[in-house]
Amino acid sequence: MNAKGDAMKKATFTLSRERKIAEIDPRMYGSFIEHLGRAVYGGIFEPGHPTADDEGFRRDVLALVKELDVPIVRYPGGNFVSGYNWEDGVGPLEKRPRRLELAWMTTETNRIGTNEFCSWAKKANTEVMMAVNLGTRDIDAARNLVEYCNHPGGTHWSDLRIAHGVREPHAIKTWCLGNEMDGEWQIGHRTADEYGRLACETAKVMKWVDPGIELVACGSSGRGMPTFGAWEATVLDHCYEHVGYISLHTYYARRRCKNDMNYLAKPLDMDSFISAVAATCDYIKAKKSSRKTVQLSFDEWNVWSFVSNNDPATKRWDIAPKQAEDVYSLIDALVFGGMMIALLRHADRVRMACLAQLVNVIAPIVTANGGPAWRQTIFYPFLHASRFGRGAAMNLDVKSPAYDDADFGSAPYVDAVAVVDEAKGTVTVFAVNRNLEDAISVEADIRDFEGYAFTEHVVMDHPDINAANTLAHPNSVVPHSKRGAKVKAGTLTAVLPKASWNMIRLARHGRERHK
Ligand code: AHR
């Protein structure tokens, strides 16, 4: 029964090996650090902080990044990269120029550059996904950066790296060909034909320097762009054979939605966005009679209010001011969790994804300068997926009670996806209940996973959907264990509390133990 005395609503799904989507590429759990606001300076790097290491990196932040187990981090932008001279950020510190940074109207000191970031990445157990500047720069700067980072030595740029104290190449495998080049806000914004040609030639030459690299071409900066679809088709027409991936970016803002239920339904938009870009890639594949399939790199995704300056004291050209420091509530985490589920449901095409961003700027991790670091609400769905969502993604064909939404028609209250690790003998179901009034029970047919028993149900909920974690109250919204779920006679039953993020885990037990 619910609060009104009605019978509890029920969702059903089936866990079947026949509904395997794909093995999940670990890079699905990537993230993003841009030279923006306090992401780098005051975020990952704060010399003088009580936890700072010998290079000035905050150990408390490193510990939280490691907790998230992020396999790849995109760097150095974002919009920032389109005005960035990578040469400014290498070599002796005293020679590094201060620049007017025109993407975010700040001053860039270049205290942190390629080598420092790669060193941080090593400490964080992560790879770097490097973006090259195709706004103000071109083929030359890009190929030189590949040589600087990846060539062993004996050439101008590789020897310069060695002279800068980095003997071993950084061996960066994944490279982004610019950022959001379709957006008129972008420094050096281009038409699809202009960008497609440049991306093609840059990709070709970068691969001549290092044939082992993988390249991501810029897709649209959002599906709402007037050129969406046509942009992808034109760009890929130019560079299809030279790139492995095309990028997708999306942010959903509560304040731009019709109401909270509309906000909660936004992951449905992400689902169809992914399908549309995959279809466009395949159209070009067919047009070119190509044997290769271009995959998707969803290298910016999150919820974001789009308030980019949340500190009224910030002035133009400040160094590392507070920018885009969204405080995330429970409802944000529910939308975020829905987005994570949508990504996993498309694991056959989305091979890389980057939660944008990682520290301070629209981020799961927040720091106080000189003070502690803490976890926002969105930290937890990402943590659960990254830690327990390794293996094969399974479509559950969820049948859920639904509500009417002006944009999506019928929107299901419950959405879920499962990840199976056959080797470890584990099944993890990620589920969101978007119903803000009522709990919903789930009944799942898991007969295909005979011998699997219930191990835990972790829930994140709160009586107030606006509750958030802050410096004063860093643990207001945290996951907890829930009792009551069970597996009996091939059926998993559980109750998803109202407005909740859920992770339900099962494990294979030996026959003897099971008896
Ligand atoms: O992630 C913040 C910004 O959002 C990035 O710099 C840009 O690529 C996107 O518009």
Side-chain angles (χ1 to χ4, degrees), residues 146 150 172-175 203 206-207 210-215:
V146 179
N150 287 8
I172 296 171
K173 188 174 170 207
T174 314
W175 295 75
M206 287 169 77
K207 278 197 163 178
D210 182 351
I213 62 176
E214 292 192 324
L215 294 163

Side-chain angles (χ1 to χ4, degrees), residues 433-450:
N433 178 5
R434 302 178 173 122
N435 193 317
L436 301 181
E437 308 292 328
D438 293 322
I440 296 184
S441 67
V442 289
E443 198 176 283
D445 177 346
I446 64 158
R447 282 172 299 172
D448 207 20
F449 283 78
E450 203 193 335

Side-chain angles (χ1 to χ4, degrees), residues 32 34 36 74 78-80 104 179-180 185-186 249 251 300 304 356-357 361-362:
F32 178 28
E34 177 168 5
L36 158 57
R74 187 165 172 252
N79 296 339
F80 170 82
W104 304 104
N179 176 71
E180 295 191 348
W185 60 87
Q186 199 68 216
H249 290 181
Y251 298 98
E300 287 189 32
W304 182 10
Q357 298 192 10
V361 172
I362 44 172

